[in-house]
Amino acid sequence: MALLHLTFAPCPLNRLPMPGADEAHVWLVDLEAPCDNWLSPAEQERADAMRHAEKQRHFIAARSALRLILSKYIGGAPEQLGLATAAQGKPFLDMPNAPQFNVTHARGKALIAVAHVPLGIDLEFARSVRNLDRLVENYFAPEEEKILTSLPNDQRAQAFLAAWTRKEACLKATGEGIAGGLHRYRVTLRADEEAQLLSIDGNESAAQAWTLHAFAAFGDGQAAICAASPSLAVQGFAL
Ligand SMILES: CC(C)(COP(=O)(O)OP(=O)(O)OC[C@H]1O[C@@H](n2cnc3c(N)ncnc32)[C@H](O)[C@@H]1OP(=O)(O)O)[C@@H](O)C(=O)NCCC(=O)NCCS
């Protein structure tokens, strides 16, 4: 798979300059590492309502890491940052000229992306996929279905997950979430192709306003980042 080669530098201790106009920072977070709890009362209420202990622990760790990371860019106490949630669930900072960010978590790991422009990030780990053909038929564009069904069986699940990650990063960038329609965002999915958003609702020039990158994270994790910018350099940090 033609992936962006991303390395993750140790966490800078102090304030950080915001990424430049065509840049994003991606933070790698281990949700099992000990951390402070920086949740707001509303976030704590959400955590308290979670019945699954591991899910609760990971939500607290991811949200606390997000608050700590954002405070490195804008200053202030992590627990006092004004995080709000848009209609379809995308969290944002409720302040003028706020940095844009997005979060993904899976299997006790999280990626947090920060930039000037709206962006989305997604992470999936290699696994077998049940009902793959039905998912492809329901959620992918006909051209994508043709490519995926032509792949040998042993390559299909990986190509499917790579494509899903890319599409979901796009839908998280716009804030629509999966309900926005995975089939509307056509992406590259051949192993020898770089990640690219090819069209939105069949419109190729609309896709050129966005940059999509795919990269490996946490061993066998496949990740994708999509941002509202025609070019995007990505720098990695580990918390
Ligand atoms: C949001 C969504 C894309 C997450 O997919 P996922 O693979 O399960 O989870 P990920 O780990 O990649 O991302 C989860 C994070 O994305 C962010 N997020 C939530 N909704 C989002 C949206 N519409 N757009 C972008 N980011 C979103 C949150 O930070 C969330 O983390 P949190 O729950 O700890 O706050 C998917 O659940 C979805 O599309 N939901 C549709 C919207 C919805 O049902 N909303 C119901 C609540 S209002």
Side-chain angles (χ1 to χ4, degrees):
M1 192 75 58
L3 300 175
L4 180 75
H5 180 68
L6 197 53
T7 53
F8 296 90
C11 170
L13 291 174
N14 302 315
R15 284 285 295 270
L16 262 182
M18 271 296 293
D22 293 340
E23 281 176 6
H25 292 170
V26 172
W27 291 79
L28 206 64
V29 184
D30 179 356
L31 301 178
E32 289 291 347
C35 68
D36 291 313
N37 180 331
W38 301 116
L39 266 54
S40 68
E43 289 166 340
Q44 189 59 53
E45 214 172 287
R46 184 177 158 198
D48 291 342
M50 292 176 179
R51 296 218 178 128
H52 196 279
E54 186 182 76
K55 199 173 163 200
Q56 183 188 61
R57 208 172 63 242
H58 290 166
F59 170 72
I60 292 171
R63 201 40 84 93
S64 295
L66 173 66
R67 287 180 165 275
L68 181 64
I69 288 166
L70 291 174
S71 72
K72 286 182 176 291
Y73 295 100
I74 60 176
E79 67 274 28
Q80 279 167 11
L81 298 187
L83 284 179
T85 306
Q88 303 304 319
K90 186 173 184 175
F92 64 99
L93 265 173
D94 196 7
M95 58 181 272
N97 300 319
Q100 305 278 321
F101 64 87
N102 198 227
V103 179
T104 182
H105 39 79
R107 295 197 194 167
K109 312 286 184 198
L111 294 170
I112 297 178
V114 181
H116 268 300
V117 293
L119 79 171
I121 191 159
D122 190 49
L123 169 70
E124 303 283 342
F125 284 93
R127 60 176 192 273
S128 62
V129 180
R130 281 201 305 159
N131 302 324
L132 192 147
D133 291 340
R134 197 159 52 81
L135 289 171
V136 171
E137 195 184 324
N138 289 344
Y139 295 111
F140 283 29
E143 303 89 329
E144 294 171 328
E145 188 180 351
K146 213 184 279 177
I147 297 171
L148 275 172
T149 47
S150 72
L151 290 176
N153 274 348
D154 60 336
Q155 291 176 23
R156 273 164 75 201
Q158 202 198 349
F160 169 83
L161 285 172
W164 186 283
T165 308
R166 293 169 192 192
K167 287 167 177 283
E168 195 173 317
C170 297
L171 285 158
K172 291 180 78 181
T174 63
E176 298 161 282
I178 288 173
L182 289 156
H183 63 282
R184 296 176 43 227
Y185 290 79
R186 247 194 87 207
V187 298
T188 48
L189 33 74
R190 289 188 200 279
D192 56 348
E193 287 175 314
E194 297 217 341
Q196 201 187 337
L197 177 58
L198 297 171
S199 64
I200 305 172
D201 293 325
N203 184 335
E204 289 172 13
S205 54
Q208 284 166 13
W210 297 83
T211 299
L212 179 64
H213 288 304
F215 58 95
F218 306 111
D220 63 350
Q222 305 197 49
I225 180 171
C226 178
S229 170
S231 67
L232 189 78
V234 185
Q235 201 180 349
F237 295 109
L239 191 64

